[in-house]
Amino acid sequence: HLERLRQIRELQEFLTIGTHRGGARVILVRPAEAMNAATANALLKSLEEPPPRSHVILVSSATLGLRQTIRSRCQMLRFGPLPRAAVAAFLAERHGVPADEARSRAALAGGSPGAALAFESEAYGRMREGLIGLLERADGLDPMARMEAAEALEQSEDPALLLTTLRSLLRDVAA
């Protein structure tokens, strides 16, 4: 709590100090929804009356987690997912991922380069094979065995990977 207030005070001081060459000041607050009430209130003055040539950028994946007083003083910019081709090109060109692997990761990343970079092909392959095996035998399982299988899925160590894998399986079935 006190650390965040100290950071906001430093941010405000940084914004008020003019640059030697007349350049702009830019502050990035991420994740903005992590601000508590005291921190958000301390930031309000800088949002209401920012010093000339200064910009405060609040990054949030959960804008409803921001206080209304903060949201009302901000211009909202929404960014959608990137096209698969752009994510694949990013992986191949900037990170040296082989083209086939880059296309595969891009298809599963939902338009997020960060998710594509964090994607683990081997873990995904194991998860996919396990889910395919479960789906293939699900019709022959009694209700108790189905419930046990569902509980096993609920206990997954990587729920995001599980959901990504299920989404890709559903996409493949639909295609």
Side-chain angles (χ1 to χ4, degrees), residues 149-165:
E151 287 174 359
L153 290 176
E154 183 181 39
Q155 300 303 318
S156 173
E157 289 182 21
D158 190 347
L161 179 61
L162 174 65
L163 292 174
T164 297
T165 307

Side-chain angles (χ1 to χ4, degrees), residues 16-28:
T16 57
I17 296 173
T19 60
H20 296 288
R21 297 185 182 155
R25 295 283 184 167
V26 178
I27 299 291
L28 182 71

Side-chain angles (χ1 to χ4, degrees), residues 19-142:
T19 60
H20 296 288
R21 297 185 182 155
R25 295 283 184 167
V26 178
I27 299 291
L28 182 71
V29 178
R30 187 185 87 180
E33 67 272 10
M35 289 187 292
N36 60 27
T39 306
N41 286 335
L43 182 63
L44 277 175
K45 180 150 178 65
S46 295
L47 293 176
E48 289 171 341
E49 300 173 22
R53 300 178 50 101
S54 65
H55 309 279
V56 179
I57 300 171
L58 306 178
V59 179
S60 176
S61 61
T63 55
L64 291 178
L66 294 171
R67 295 179 54 131
Q68 176 57 32
T69 53
I70 296 288
R71 288 195 318 260
S72 68
R73 288 160 176 82
C74 295
Q75 179 180 0
M76 183 86 67
L77 298 174
R78 295 187 187 278
F79 295 96
L82 294 174
R84 285 184 190 173
V87 175
F90 169 78
L91 292 174
E93 294 168 12
R94 292 239 178 113
H95 295 279
V97 176
D100 289 343
E101 175 77 7
R103 282 191 299 276
S104 175
R105 286 185 184 192
L108 297 167
S112 168
L117 281 171
F119 183 75
E120 295 182 30
S121 298
E122 291 177 21
Y124 168 76
R126 288 191 304 273
M127 179 74 73
R128 186 174 171 95
E129 291 304 315
L131 287 172
I132 289 172
L134 174 61
L135 292 172
E136 286 174 341
R137 66 179 194 279
D139 196 35
L141 296 176
D142 62 54

